[in-house]
Amino acid sequence: MRFHSLPGSKRYPDADSEYDIVLHRYNTVLDELFHGQDVRIVTTDWSDASEPPALSAQHALWNPGARHWMSVRTDEEETDPDFITYTHLYASRKPWRSGLVDDLLRAAAEDATVGVMIASSSFDRIHHPYDGGADVLLPTTSERDTIKHSHADWLSEHPSGY
């Protein structure tokens, strides 16, 4: 399901009070998903080489202790060497607490970074924040419906849920 991070489906916060709302919504859902558990924090980078680049200083601040996890070719069907790129995933593992990844969540809300996931150790629960909201993947429809109903006012009014 998809939660919007600001009232009225506003995409980007532009005041401290709106950043407070964004972080509150992200952390509320994350607390419900991961209270008392370890989480995997996954961030991404891209390059034209299959070998991952060293983490930038900013990326290291957003995901401290992250290590290269895996790299995948972004488009397996691309044949032009000038357009072949790789997505590099970096992961860390930490005990969840509210506020743990606020700098990373803020960067995602500002579209300063993309491809962020906060997941359970088994990856059966995933929170994917981005500018404008977060997608949440859960293992059962019952769990989905419970959290969906808890935050119905954060859902899109669009019939398809976007």
Side-chain angles (χ1 to χ4, degrees), residues 53-95:
L55 279 180
S56 69
Q58 185 60 61
H59 194 139
L61 287 173
W62 290 331
N63 193 359
R67 296 177 186 252
H68 178 254
W69 174 31
M70 70 170 53
S71 296
V72 294
R73 198 161 142 184
T74 306
D75 181 355
E76 290 291 332
E77 305 209 3
E78 181 59 63
T79 57
D80 186 333
D82 291 335
F83 294 101
I84 293 175
T85 58
Y86 294 84
T87 302
H88 307 286
L89 290 91
Y90 298 85
S92 63
R93 183 177 179 168
K94 296 181 175 57

Coordinates of all heavy atoms in Angstrom, one line a residue, residues 53-95:
P53 N 31.2 1.7 -6.6 CA 32.1 2.8 -6.2 C 32.1 2.9 -4.7 O 31.2 2.4 -4.0 CB 31.3 4.0 -6.8 CG 29.9 3.6 -6.9 CD 29.9 2.2 -7.1
A54 N 33.1 3.6 -4.2 CA 33.2 3.8 -2.7 C 32.0 4.7 -2.4 O 31.6 5.5 -3.1 CB 34.5 4.5 -2.4
L55 N 31.5 4.5 -1.2 CA 30.4 5.3 -0.7 C 30.8 6.8 -0.6 O 31.9 7.1 -0.1 CB 29.9 4.9 0.6 CG 28.9 3.7 0.7 CD1 28.5 3.4 2.1 CD2 27.7 3.9 -0.1
S56 N 30.0 7.7 -1.1 CA 30.3 9.1 -0.9 C 30.1 9.4 0.6 O 29.5 8.7 1.3 CB 29.3 9.9 -1.7 OG 28.0 9.8 -1.2
A57 N 30.7 10.5 1.0 CA 30.6 11.0 2.4 C 29.1 11.1 2.8 O 28.7 10.7 3.9 CB 31.4 12.2 2.6
Q58 N 28.3 11.7 1.9 CA 26.9 12.0 2.2 C 26.2 10.7 2.3 O 25.4 10.5 3.3 CB 26.3 12.8 1.1 CG 24.8 13.2 1.4 CD 24.7 14.0 2.7 OE1 25.3 15.1 2.8 NE2 24.0 13.5 3.7
H59 N 26.4 9.7 1.4 CA 25.8 8.4 1.5 C 26.2 7.7 2.8 O 25.3 7.1 3.4 CB 26.2 7.6 0.3 CG 25.4 6.4 0.0 ND1 25.0 6.0 -1.2 CD2 24.9 5.5 0.9 CE1 24.3 4.9 -1.1 NE2 24.2 4.5 0.1
A60 N 27.4 7.8 3.2 CA 27.9 7.2 4.4 C 27.2 7.8 5.7 O 26.9 7.1 6.6 CB 29.4 7.3 4.6
L61 N 26.8 9.1 5.6 CA 26.1 9.7 6.7 C 24.7 9.2 6.7 O 24.1 9.1 7.8 CB 26.1 11.2 6.5 CG 27.4 11.9 6.8 CD1 27.3 13.4 6.5 CD2 27.8 11.8 8.3
W62 N 24.1 9.0 5.6 CA 22.7 8.5 5.5 C 22.6 7.1 6.0 O 21.5 6.7 6.5 CB 22.1 8.7 4.1 CG 21.9 10.1 3.7 CD1 21.6 11.2 4.4 CD2 21.9 10.5 2.3 NE1 21.4 12.3 3.7 CE2 21.6 11.9 2.4 CE3 22.1 9.9 1.1 CZ2 21.5 12.7 1.2 CZ3 22.0 10.7 0.0 CH2 21.7 12.1 0.0
N63 N 23.6 6.3 5.7 CA 23.5 4.8 6.1 C 24.9 4.4 6.7 O 25.6 3.7 6.1 CB 23.2 4.0 4.8 CG 22.8 2.6 5.1 OD1 22.8 2.2 6.3 ND2 22.5 1.8 4.1
P64 N 25.1 4.9 7.9 CA 26.4 4.6 8.5 C 26.7 3.1 8.7 O 25.7 2.3 9.0 CB 26.3 5.3 9.9 CG 25.2 6.2 9.8 CD 24.3 5.7 8.8
G65 N 27.9 2.7 8.4 CA 28.2 1.3 8.5 C 27.8 0.4 7.4 O 27.9 -0.8 7.4
A66 N 27.2 1.0 6.3 CA 26.7 0.2 5.2 C 27.8 -0.4 4.5 O 28.9 0.2 4.3 CB 25.9 1.1 4.3
R67 N 27.6 -1.6 4.0 CA 28.6 -2.3 3.2 C 27.9 -2.7 1.9 O 26.7 -2.9 1.8 CB 29.0 -3.6 3.9 CG 29.8 -3.3 5.2 CD 30.1 -4.6 5.9 NE 30.7 -4.3 7.2 CZ 32.0 -4.5 7.5 NH1 32.8 -4.9 6.6 NH2 32.4 -4.2 8.7
H68 N 28.8 -2.9 0.9 CA 28.2 -3.3 -0.4 C 27.6 -4.7 -0.2 O 28.2 -5.6 0.4 CB 29.4 -3.4 -1.4 CG 28.9 -3.9 -2.7 ND1 29.2 -5.1 -3.2 CD2 28.1 -3.3 -3.7 CE1 28.6 -5.3 -4.4 NE2 27.9 -4.2 -4.7
W69 N 26.4 -4.8 -0.7 CA 25.6 -6.0 -0.6 C 25.6 -6.8 -1.9 O 26.0 -7.9 -2.0 CB 24.2 -5.7 -0.1 CG 23.3 -6.9 -0.1 CD1 23.6 -8.2 0.2 CD2 21.9 -6.8 -0.2 NE1 22.4 -8.9 0.2 CE2 21.4 -8.1 -0.1 CE3 21.0 -5.8 -0.5 CZ2 20.0 -8.4 -0.2 CZ3 19.6 -6.1 -0.6 CH2 19.2 -7.4 -0.4
M70 N 25.2 -6.0 -3.0 CA 25.1 -6.7 -4.3 C 25.1 -5.6 -5.3 O 24.7 -4.4 -5.1 CB 24.0 -7.6 -4.4 CG 22.6 -6.9 -4.4 SD 21.2 -8.0 -4.9 CE 21.3 -9.3 -3.8
S71 N 25.4 -6.0 -6.6 CA 25.2 -5.1 -7.7 C 24.4 -5.8 -8.8 O 24.6 -7.0 -9.0 CB 26.6 -4.7 -8.3 OG 27.3 -3.9 -7.3
V72 N 23.6 -5.1 -9.5 CA 22.8 -5.7 -10.5 C 22.8 -4.8 -11.7 O 22.9 -3.6 -11.6 CB 21.3 -6.0 -10.1 CG1 21.3 -7.0 -9.0 CG2 20.6 -4.7 -9.7
R73 N 22.8 -5.4 -12.9 CA 22.7 -4.6 -14.1 C 21.3 -4.0 -14.2 O 20.3 -4.7 -14.0 CB 23.0 -5.5 -15.3 CG 23.4 -4.7 -16.5 CD 24.0 -5.5 -17.5 NE 23.6 -5.1 -18.8 CZ 23.9 -5.6 -20.0 NH1 24.7 -6.7 -20.0 NH2 23.4 -5.1 -21.1
T74 N 21.3 -2.7 -14.4 CA 20.0 -2.0 -14.3 C 19.1 -2.4 -15.4 O 17.9 -2.5 -15.2 CB 20.3 -0.4 -14.4 OG1 21.3 -0.1 -13.4 CG2 19.1 0.4 -14.2
D75 N 19.6 -2.6 -16.6 CA 18.7 -3.0 -17.7 C 19.4 -4.2 -18.5 O 20.3 -3.9 -19.2 CB 18.4 -1.9 -18.7 CG 17.5 -2.2 -19.8 OD1 17.2 -3.4 -20.0 OD2 17.2 -1.3 -20.6
E76 N 19.0 -5.4 -18.2 CA 19.6 -6.5 -18.8 C 19.5 -6.6 -20.4 O 20.3 -7.2 -21.0 CB 19.0 -7.8 -18.3 CG 19.3 -8.1 -16.8 CD 20.7 -8.5 -16.6 OE1 21.4 -9.1 -17.5 OE2 21.2 -8.2 -15.5
E77 N 18.6 -5.8 -20.9 CA 18.4 -5.8 -22.3 C 19.2 -4.8 -23.1 O 19.2 -4.8 -24.3 CB 16.9 -5.7 -22.6 CG 16.1 -6.8 -21.9 CD 14.8 -7.2 -22.6 OE1 14.5 -6.7 -23.7 OE2 14.2 -8.0 -22.0
E78 N 19.8 -3.9 -22.3 CA 20.6 -2.8 -23.0 C 21.8 -3.4 -23.6 O 22.5 -4.2 -22.9 CB 21.0 -1.7 -22.0 CG 21.8 -0.6 -22.5 CD 21.0 0.1 -23.7 OE1 20.0 0.7 -23.4 OE2 21.5 0.1 -24.8
T79 N 22.1 -3.1 -24.9 CA 23.3 -3.7 -25.5 C 24.3 -2.6 -25.9 O 25.5 -3.0 -26.1 CB 22.9 -4.4 -26.8 OG1 22.2 -3.5 -27.7 CG2 22.0 -5.6 -26.5
D80 N 24.0 -1.4 -25.9 CA 24.9 -0.3 -26.2 C 25.8 -0.1 -25.0 O 25.3 0.3 -23.9 CB 24.2 1.0 -26.5 CG 25.1 2.1 -27.0 OD1 26.2 2.1 -26.6 OD2 24.6 3.0 -27.7
P81 N 27.1 -0.3 -25.1 CA 28.0 -0.2 -23.9 C 28.0 1.2 -23.3 O 28.2 1.4 -22.1 CB 29.4 -0.4 -24.5 CG 29.2 -1.1 -25.8 CD 27.8 -0.7 -26.3
D82 N 27.6 2.2 -24.1 CA 27.5 3.6 -23.5 C 26.3 3.8 -22.6 O 26.3 4.8 -21.8 CB 27.4 4.6 -24.6 CG 28.7 4.7 -25.4 OD1 29.8 4.4 -24.9 OD2 28.7 5.2 -26.6
F83 N 25.4 2.9 -22.6 CA 24.2 3.0 -21.8 C 24.0 1.9 -20.8 O 23.0 1.8 -20.1 CB 23.0 3.1 -22.7 CG 22.9 4.3 -23.5 CD1 23.3 4.3 -24.9 CD2 22.6 5.5 -22.9 CE1 23.3 5.4 -25.6 CE2 22.6 6.7 -23.7 CZ 22.9 6.6 -25.0
I84 N 25.0 1.0 -20.6 CA 24.9 -0.1 -19.6 C 25.3 0.5 -18.3 O 26.3 1.2 -18.1 CB 25.8 -1.2 -20.0 CG1 25.3 -1.9 -21.3 CG2 25.9 -2.2 -18.8 CD1 26.2 -3.0 -21.8
T85 N 24.4 0.3 -17.3 CA 24.6 0.8 -16.0 C 24.3 -0.3 -14.9 O 23.6 -1.2 -15.2 CB 23.7 2.1 -15.6 OG1 22.3 1.7 -15.8 CG2 24.0 3.3 -16.5
Y86 N 24.8 0.0 -13.7 CA 24.6 -1.0 -12.6 C 24.1 -0.3 -11.4 O 24.4 0.9 -11.1 CB 26.0 -1.6 -12.3 CG 26.5 -2.5 -13.4 CD1 27.3 -1.9 -14.4 CD2 26.3 -3.8 -13.4 CE1 27.7 -2.7 -15.5 CE2 26.7 -4.6 -14.5 CZ 27.5 -4.0 -15.5 OH 27.9 -4.8 -16.5
T87 N 23.2 -0.9 -10.7 CA 22.7 -0.5 -9.5 C 23.4 -1.2 -8.4 O 23.5 -2.4 -8.4 CB 21.2 -0.7 -9.4 OG1 20.5 -0.1 -10.4 CG2 20.6 -0.2 -8.0
H88 N 24.0 -0.4 -7.5 CA 24.8 -1.0 -6.4 C 24.0 -0.8 -5.1 O 23.6 0.3 -4.8 CB 26.1 -0.3 -6.3 CG 26.9 -0.3 -7.6 ND1 27.5 -1.5 -8.1 CD2 27.1 0.6 -8.5 CE1 28.0 -1.2 -9.3 NE2 27.8 0.1 -9.5
L89 N 23.8 -1.9 -4.4 CA 23.0 -1.8 -3.1 C 24.0 -2.0 -1.9 O 24.8 -2.8 -1.9 CB 22.0 -2.9 -3.1 CG 20.8 -2.8 -4.1 CD1 21.1 -3.4 -5.4 CD2 19.5 -3.3 -3.5
Y90 N 23.7 -1.1 -1.0 CA 24.5 -1.1 0.3 C 23.6 -1.3 1.4 O 22.5 -0.7 1.5 CB 25.2 0.3 0.4 CG 26.2 0.6 -0.7 CD1 25.8 1.2 -1.9 CD2 27.5 0.3 -0.6 CE1 26.6 1.4 -2.9 CE2 28.4 0.5 -1.6 CZ 28.0 1.1 -2.8 OH 28.8 1.3 -3.8
A91 N 24.0 -2.1 2.4 CA 23.1 -2.5 3.5 C 23.8 -2.4 4.8 O 25.0 -2.6 4.9 CB 22.5 -3.9 3.2
S92 N 23.0 -2.1 5.8 CA 23.5 -2.1 7.2 C 22.4 -2.8 8.0 O 21.2 -2.9 7.5 CB 23.8 -0.7 7.7 OG 22.6 0.1 7.7
R93 N 22.7 -3.2 9.2 CA 21.7 -3.8 10.1 C 21.8 -3.1 11.4 O 22.9 -3.0 12.0 CB 22.0 -5.3 10.2 CG 21.0 -6.0 11.1 CD 21.4 -7.5 11.1 NE 20.4 -8.2 11.9 CZ 20.3 -9.5 12.0 NH1 21.0 -10.3 11.2 NH2 19.4 -10.0 12.8
K94 N 20.7 -2.7 11.9 CA 20.6 -2.0 13.2 C 19.3 -2.3 14.0 O 18.3 -2.6 13.3 CB 20.7 -0.5 13.0 CG 22.0 0.0 12.3 CD 22.0 1.5 12.1 CE 23.3 2.0 11.6 NZ 23.7 1.5 10.4
P95 N 19.4 -2.2 15.3 CA 18.1 -2.3 16.0 C 17.2 -1.1 15.7 O 17.7 0.0 15.8 CB 18.5 -2.4 17.5 CG 20.0 -2.4 17.5 CD 20.5 -2.0 16.2

